[in-house]
Amino acid sequence: MSDEPQPQQPARGKRQRTGWRRIVPTWRMALGAFLAGALLLIGGLFLGYHLVHIPSANALAIKQANVYLYTDGSVIARDGEVNRENVGLGRISQDAQHAILAAEDRDFYTESAVDPQAMLRAAWNTATGKGKQSGSTITQQYVKNYYLQQEQTVTRKVKEFFIAIKLDREQSKEKILEGYLNTSYFGRNAYGIQAAAQAYYGMDAQDLDAGRAAYLAALVNAPSQYDVVTHPENRPAAESRWNYVLDGMVEKGWLSRTERAGLKFPPPKESTNSTGMSGQRGYIVQIMKDHLIQNKIVGEEELDAGGYRITTTLQKDKQNAFVDAVNDNLIDRLDQKEREVDTYVRAGGTAVEPKTGKVRAMYNGIDYVKQYTPNATRRDYQVGSIFKPFVFTAAVENASSTQDGRPITPNTVYDGTNKRPVEGWSGGLYDPANEDDRSYGDITVREATDKSVNAVYAQLAVDIGSDKVQQTAIDLGLPSTTPELTPSPSIALGVATASTLDMAQAYATLANHGVHSDAVLIEKITKDGKETVPLPEPKNRRAVSREAADTTTAVLRGVVQNGTATAALGAGRPAAGKTGTAEEDKAAWFAGYTPELATVVAVMGQNPDTAAQEKLYGAMGLPRINGGGPPAEIWAQFTREALEGEPVSSFDLELQPDAERTAPPTAGTGSLPPTTTPDDGTPTPGPDRNTNRTPGPDDGIGEGRPEGGTNEGTDGDTTTGGTDDGTSTGGTTDGTTGGGTTGGTTGDTGSGRTGGSGSTDGENPGTSSRGGLTGFIPRPRGE
């Protein structure tokens, strides 16, 4: 045998693959790879399904706006970083539901949570330049909006896939659709169908018809581009998408062809209910939030999270009437370019329903984004003589008497001599000046109220007991924490710094015959459109006797008919009220009421740069801003318009015994001091104009007036002391004429002193070198 190696023979039945065949996998290899891949896919799906859990909602998805509403349900404002108001599916119209489905997922109710075929098709179209598409079902889009972030990553898509499958097994289709409709973004900072319906059409989602719903559904695809107001050049594209949605609704049987044919593209409004804080909206939101938090109705953190629908007690027509009245009688009369003082002018006001305590309107400033402080609720301006009615109420309530034992009634005679030292006060000398240093001699309380005689009211406070005056004011509605509401003779002159809301509550108590109702600002609150938030039960209490409240009302009827508030007659209704002015004309007030509505208006001076209080001498081109001027004029117009169409009611009064009695004649001339010219250029008041009438001395009301006696007012309620014919020649310069008080500061002269301090403004009841009262704030002047 040869030792040479023999060649190897190929095994029988096994052929070698040569050439290109060597790189092609055999069927066995292909089958193995397929089976391995399938096992990996199934394992991956199984593992992913069990590893990926449904997470908590992301912060943006649960963030909502708080919606503030008028009593009629119209929107005042939306407050919050995210403009969203979640609503249940029952509060979304069928047309809106179907339009969204037609635009985004027509087979939503019959398909699974994910559609791999659609996902592959979308990926192919995106890759080949046919437009970026998501290929996601509504369920997947809801998962992305509610549970995940918006980043375009593989990880997010994988999570979205598994969460959608799980969610579809755990929640109903209706619940998923509801969530999607509440989380989708529609542009104009509107998240959710409810916010979108308001932003584009000023209506609720439940009121959307097919045409409007189809437009909102079209927006989901490209919110910014399809807003035809912002981008009118894109209207053809928006209308094309709108038609696509409507055609889909017809295709699915959700819309008839006949109705479809009759639809025209519904362009959205350029301005609907703004979500901004401009105008009165921001003030109202701030006041309501403070009210909710301070009264522990809703916590601050809960409010920040949003989702509350807050129906206020404000009535839209009255709110608008208040704004109109301020504009017509104040803002439109300012000339800020020509008069620097006009830049200081601010206004605030509150209207309260006496029987319920419900706040029906508030005026806070010209614009929240320009002047942030709500003027209706601020407590930093002296209320002046509008406090005086509380003094008289305290007298009747406590059956008080004078120093010599005479019961205090409207006809009780006091010495109204200018700077007459108060008797019976142990705190030192206190001798307040009257308006323009005018002396009245003997004068009745009724007349002293008409003319706001400081000398009389300071003595009244001592005779009653200033602590009792303080308590009566609190009982009527002023907070016990009101700044400078302290017991002393100066309390009668209005040194306290209450808000228009505080004062309106107190005057509403007088209008309601002495029954006080706590201020009510909120009618109803719901959370997430479902849960109703409990509100405190309204509380009514007897603050003062009906006799005390009604007798005060009768006296204040005289102020409107005969005194410094004749401008209030412009309301065209029976009215009672009181004017007031703070120290150095830094604020002017009018507080008045009809049986239906109690309203307080304040005009204040504030430096726009330093926020310091400023005098209003010369504002609006007038020597002075008096309570009987713009404040009373605003009140009259507002009250007339706010109550338009409502029956005219009379005051039903039960008066203190002898309140209707005509007082006997009293002595006194009502003389002015020799020098009364203010240093601000205000004209000197004219000479006394004595008239033959009963009771009391001349009060500057004028000639041609009926003499004394009991006069039947326009509403049939009894008032004493006569009435004028609308041409009163006394009172203030606020639309009245003649030789009465001019409504300026008391003196404001170099020779005037107040409280014995020798102050040049004639306003200060402070300390005296002769043992005056320590710690007193400069008191307001009379009217």
Side-chain angles (χ1 to χ4, degrees), residues 283-301:
Y283 298 118
I284 293 171
V285 168
Q286 180 178 333
I287 290 170
M288 296 301 168
K289 287 177 68 174
D290 290 344
H291 177 75
L292 292 171
I293 294 169
Q294 291 169 7
N295 290 278
K296 299 181 180 179
I297 300 172
V298 179
E300 187 171 3
E301 292 183 1

Side-chain angles (χ1 to χ4, degrees), residues 157-221:
K157 294 295 291 184
V158 171
K159 288 182 179 179
E160 175 188 304
F161 181 87
F162 287 112
I163 294 172
I165 295 173
K166 281 193 170 185
L167 196 67
D168 194 48
R169 294 172 62 88
E170 296 182 11
Q171 293 187 8
S172 66
K173 291 286 188 180
E174 288 76 13
K175 191 66 177 177
I176 293 172
L177 179 60
E178 177 184 304
Y180 176 74
L181 289 169
N182 281 313
T183 55
S184 295
Y185 181 62
F186 291 83
R188 293 193 183 183
N189 194 37
Y191 290 83
I193 190 73
Q194 170 67 12
Q198 287 287 346
Y200 287 91
Y201 293 111
M203 61 173 56
D204 290 330
Q206 63 188 1
D207 299 323
L208 289 169
D209 55 25
R212 292 179 175 87
Y215 176 67
L216 295 182
L219 287 169
V220 176
N221 187 254

